Short mmCIF file of all heavy atoms in Angstrom, two decimals:
data_model
loop_
_atom_site.label_atom_id
_atom_site.label_comp_id
_atom_site.label_asym_id
_atom_site.label_seq_id
_atom_site.Cartn_x
_atom_site.Cartn_y
_atom_site.Cartn_z
N ALA Q 1 -14.88 -20.29 2.65
CA ALA Q 1 -14.00 -19.18 3.02
C ALA Q 1 -12.61 -19.38 2.41
O ALA Q 1 -12.01 -18.43 1.89
CB ALA Q 1 -13.91 -19.05 4.53
N ASP Q 2 -12.10 -20.61 2.47
CA ASP Q 2 -10.79 -20.91 1.88
C ASP Q 2 -10.81 -20.70 0.37
O ASP Q 2 -9.88 -20.12 -0.21
CB ASP Q 2 -10.36 -22.34 2.19
CG ASP Q 2 -10.03 -22.56 3.66
OD1 ASP Q 2 -9.85 -21.55 4.39
OD2 ASP Q 2 -9.98 -23.73 4.08
N LEU Q 3 -11.87 -21.16 -0.25
CA LEU Q 3 -12.01 -21.00 -1.70
C LEU Q 3 -12.11 -19.53 -2.07
O LEU Q 3 -11.47 -19.07 -3.02
CB LEU Q 3 -13.24 -21.76 -2.18
CG LEU Q 3 -13.52 -21.76 -3.67
CD1 LEU Q 3 -12.38 -22.41 -4.44
CD2 LEU Q 3 -14.83 -22.48 -3.97
N SER Q 4 -12.87 -18.78 -1.31
CA SER Q 4 -13.01 -17.35 -1.56
C SER Q 4 -11.68 -16.63 -1.40
O SER Q 4 -11.32 -15.77 -2.21
CB SER Q 4 -14.05 -16.77 -0.61
OG SER Q 4 -14.20 -15.40 -0.83
N GLN Q 5 -10.94 -16.99 -0.38
CA GLN Q 5 -9.62 -16.37 -0.15
C GLN Q 5 -8.66 -16.72 -1.29
O GLN Q 5 -7.93 -15.85 -1.78
CB GLN Q 5 -9.06 -16.85 1.19
CG GLN Q 5 -7.75 -16.20 1.57
CD GLN Q 5 -7.25 -16.70 2.92
OE1 GLN Q 5 -7.74 -17.69 3.45
NE2 GLN Q 5 -6.27 -16.01 3.46
N ALA Q 6 -8.67 -17.95 -1.74
CA ALA Q 6 -7.80 -18.36 -2.85
C ALA Q 6 -8.18 -17.63 -4.13
O ALA Q 6 -7.30 -17.21 -4.90
CB ALA Q 6 -7.88 -19.87 -3.04
N LEU Q 7 -9.47 -17.47 -4.36
CA LEU Q 7 -9.94 -16.75 -5.55
C LEU Q 7 -9.50 -15.30 -5.50
O LEU Q 7 -8.99 -14.76 -6.49
CB LEU Q 7 -11.46 -16.85 -5.67
CG LEU Q 7 -12.08 -16.10 -6.84
CD1 LEU Q 7 -11.57 -16.65 -8.17
CD2 LEU Q 7 -13.59 -16.18 -6.78
N ASP Q 8 -9.67 -14.64 -4.36
CA ASP Q 8 -9.25 -13.25 -4.23
C ASP Q 8 -7.74 -13.10 -4.45
O ASP Q 8 -7.29 -12.17 -5.11
CB ASP Q 8 -9.63 -12.70 -2.86
CG ASP Q 8 -11.11 -12.37 -2.74
OD1 ASP Q 8 -11.75 -12.19 -3.80
OD2 ASP Q 8 -11.60 -12.30 -1.61
N GLN Q 9 -6.98 -14.03 -3.90
CA GLN Q 9 -5.52 -13.98 -4.06
C GLN Q 9 -5.14 -14.15 -5.53
O GLN Q 9 -4.29 -13.44 -6.06
CB GLN Q 9 -4.86 -15.06 -3.21
CG GLN Q 9 -3.36 -15.03 -3.25
CD GLN Q 9 -2.76 -16.11 -2.36
OE1 GLN Q 9 -3.47 -16.94 -1.80
NE2 GLN Q 9 -1.44 -16.10 -2.24
N ALA Q 10 -5.80 -15.08 -6.21
CA ALA Q 10 -5.51 -15.31 -7.63
C ALA Q 10 -5.90 -14.09 -8.45
O ALA Q 10 -5.17 -13.70 -9.38
CB ALA Q 10 -6.26 -16.54 -8.12
N LEU Q 11 -7.02 -13.47 -8.13
CA LEU Q 11 -7.45 -12.27 -8.87
C LEU Q 11 -6.49 -11.11 -8.65
O LEU Q 11 -6.21 -10.35 -9.57
CB LEU Q 11 -8.87 -11.87 -8.47
CG LEU Q 11 -9.98 -12.77 -8.98
CD1 LEU Q 11 -11.32 -12.33 -8.43
CD2 LEU Q 11 -10.01 -12.80 -10.49
N ARG Q 12 -5.99 -10.97 -7.43
CA ARG Q 12 -5.04 -9.88 -7.16
C ARG Q 12 -3.73 -10.06 -7.91
O ARG Q 12 -3.02 -9.09 -8.15
CB ARG Q 12 -4.78 -9.76 -5.66
CG ARG Q 12 -5.91 -9.10 -4.90
CD ARG Q 12 -5.49 -8.74 -3.48
NE ARG Q 12 -5.04 -9.88 -2.71
CZ ARG Q 12 -5.81 -10.66 -1.97
NH1 ARG Q 12 -7.10 -10.41 -1.88
NH2 ARG Q 12 -5.32 -11.68 -1.31
N SER Q 13 -3.42 -11.29 -8.29
CA SER Q 13 -2.17 -11.53 -9.01
C SER Q 13 -2.28 -11.18 -10.50
O SER Q 13 -1.28 -11.11 -11.20
CB SER Q 13 -1.74 -13.00 -8.86
OG SER Q 13 -2.62 -13.84 -9.58
N LEU Q 14 -3.50 -10.94 -10.97
CA LEU Q 14 -3.72 -10.57 -12.37
C LEU Q 14 -3.39 -9.09 -12.59
O LEU Q 14 -3.46 -8.30 -11.66
CB LEU Q 14 -5.18 -10.81 -12.76
CG LEU Q 14 -5.67 -12.25 -12.78
CD1 LEU Q 14 -7.18 -12.27 -13.00
CD2 LEU Q 14 -4.97 -13.04 -13.85
N PRO Q 15 -3.07 -8.73 -13.83
CA PRO Q 15 -2.92 -7.30 -14.13
C PRO Q 15 -4.25 -6.59 -13.84
O PRO Q 15 -5.33 -7.19 -13.97
CB PRO Q 15 -2.61 -7.27 -15.63
CG PRO Q 15 -2.09 -8.63 -15.94
CD PRO Q 15 -2.76 -9.57 -14.97
N PRO Q 16 -4.21 -5.31 -13.46
CA PRO Q 16 -5.43 -4.60 -13.04
C PRO Q 16 -6.58 -4.65 -14.04
O PRO Q 16 -7.72 -4.90 -13.66
CB PRO Q 16 -4.95 -3.16 -12.82
CG PRO Q 16 -3.49 -3.28 -12.56
CD PRO Q 16 -3.02 -4.47 -13.33
N LYS Q 17 -6.30 -4.42 -15.31
CA LYS Q 17 -7.38 -4.43 -16.30
C LYS Q 17 -7.97 -5.84 -16.46
O LYS Q 17 -9.17 -6.01 -16.59
CB LYS Q 17 -6.89 -3.91 -17.65
CG LYS Q 17 -6.71 -2.42 -17.67
CD LYS Q 17 -6.35 -1.93 -19.05
CE LYS Q 17 -6.20 -0.42 -19.05
NZ LYS Q 17 -5.87 0.10 -20.37
N THR Q 18 -7.12 -6.83 -16.44
CA THR Q 18 -7.58 -8.21 -16.56
C THR Q 18 -8.45 -8.59 -15.36
O THR Q 18 -9.49 -9.24 -15.51
CB THR Q 18 -6.39 -9.18 -16.68
OG1 THR Q 18 -5.56 -8.75 -17.76
CG2 THR Q 18 -6.84 -10.60 -16.89
N GLU Q 19 -8.03 -8.17 -14.18
CA GLU Q 19 -8.81 -8.44 -12.97
C GLU Q 19 -10.19 -7.79 -13.07
O GLU Q 19 -11.20 -8.41 -12.76
CB GLU Q 19 -8.08 -7.91 -11.74
CG GLU Q 19 -8.87 -8.11 -10.46
CD GLU Q 19 -8.19 -7.50 -9.25
OE1 GLU Q 19 -7.07 -6.99 -9.36
OE2 GLU Q 19 -8.82 -7.54 -8.18
N THR Q 20 -10.22 -6.54 -13.52
CA THR Q 20 -11.49 -5.83 -13.65
C THR Q 20 -12.40 -6.53 -14.65
O THR Q 20 -13.59 -6.75 -14.38
CB THR Q 20 -11.25 -4.37 -14.11
OG1 THR Q 20 -10.43 -3.72 -13.14
CG2 THR Q 20 -12.56 -3.62 -14.26
N ILE Q 21 -11.86 -6.92 -15.78
CA ILE Q 21 -12.64 -7.61 -16.80
C ILE Q 21 -13.16 -8.94 -16.26
O ILE Q 21 -14.33 -9.29 -16.45
CB ILE Q 21 -11.81 -7.82 -18.08
CG1 ILE Q 21 -11.58 -6.47 -18.76
CG2 ILE Q 21 -12.49 -8.80 -19.03
CD1 ILE Q 21 -10.57 -6.51 -19.88
N PHE Q 22 -12.32 -9.68 -15.56
CA PHE Q 22 -12.74 -10.97 -15.00
C PHE Q 22 -13.88 -10.77 -14.00
O PHE Q 22 -14.89 -11.47 -14.04
CB PHE Q 22 -11.57 -11.68 -14.33
CG PHE Q 22 -11.93 -13.03 -13.80
CD1 PHE Q 22 -11.90 -14.13 -14.63
CD2 PHE Q 22 -12.33 -13.19 -12.48
CE1 PHE Q 22 -12.24 -15.39 -14.14
CE2 PHE Q 22 -12.68 -14.43 -11.99
CZ PHE Q 22 -12.64 -15.53 -12.82
N ARG Q 23 -13.70 -9.82 -13.09
CA ARG Q 23 -14.74 -9.58 -12.08
C ARG Q 23 -16.07 -9.17 -12.72
O ARG Q 23 -17.13 -9.63 -12.32
CB ARG Q 23 -14.28 -8.52 -11.09
CG ARG Q 23 -13.23 -9.00 -10.12
CD ARG Q 23 -12.87 -7.93 -9.10
NE ARG Q 23 -11.78 -8.33 -8.25
CZ ARG Q 23 -11.90 -9.09 -7.16
NH1 ARG Q 23 -13.08 -9.54 -6.82
NH2 ARG Q 23 -10.84 -9.41 -6.45
N LEU Q 24 -16.00 -8.30 -13.72
CA LEU Q 24 -17.23 -7.87 -14.39
C LEU Q 24 -17.90 -9.02 -15.12
O LEU Q 24 -19.12 -9.15 -15.11
CB LEU Q 24 -16.93 -6.72 -15.36
CG LEU Q 24 -16.57 -5.38 -14.73
CD1 LEU Q 24 -16.15 -4.40 -15.81
CD2 LEU Q 24 -17.73 -4.83 -13.93
#
């Protein structure tokens, strides 16, 4: 859960397009 929360927080700090590309 901690790891998942840290990952989500790190992804939210990325620019929107970069976050989308990373998630995909």
Side-chain angles (χ1 to χ4, degrees):
D2 291 345
L3 182 62
S4 179
Q5 184 179 14
L7 178 62
D8 284 339
Q9 184 179 5
L11 288 176
R12 284 192 302 271
S13 70
L14 294 172
K17 286 185 179 181
T18 306
E19 177 184 356
T20 301
I21 290 169
F22 183 85
R23 286 184 186 277
L24 289 173

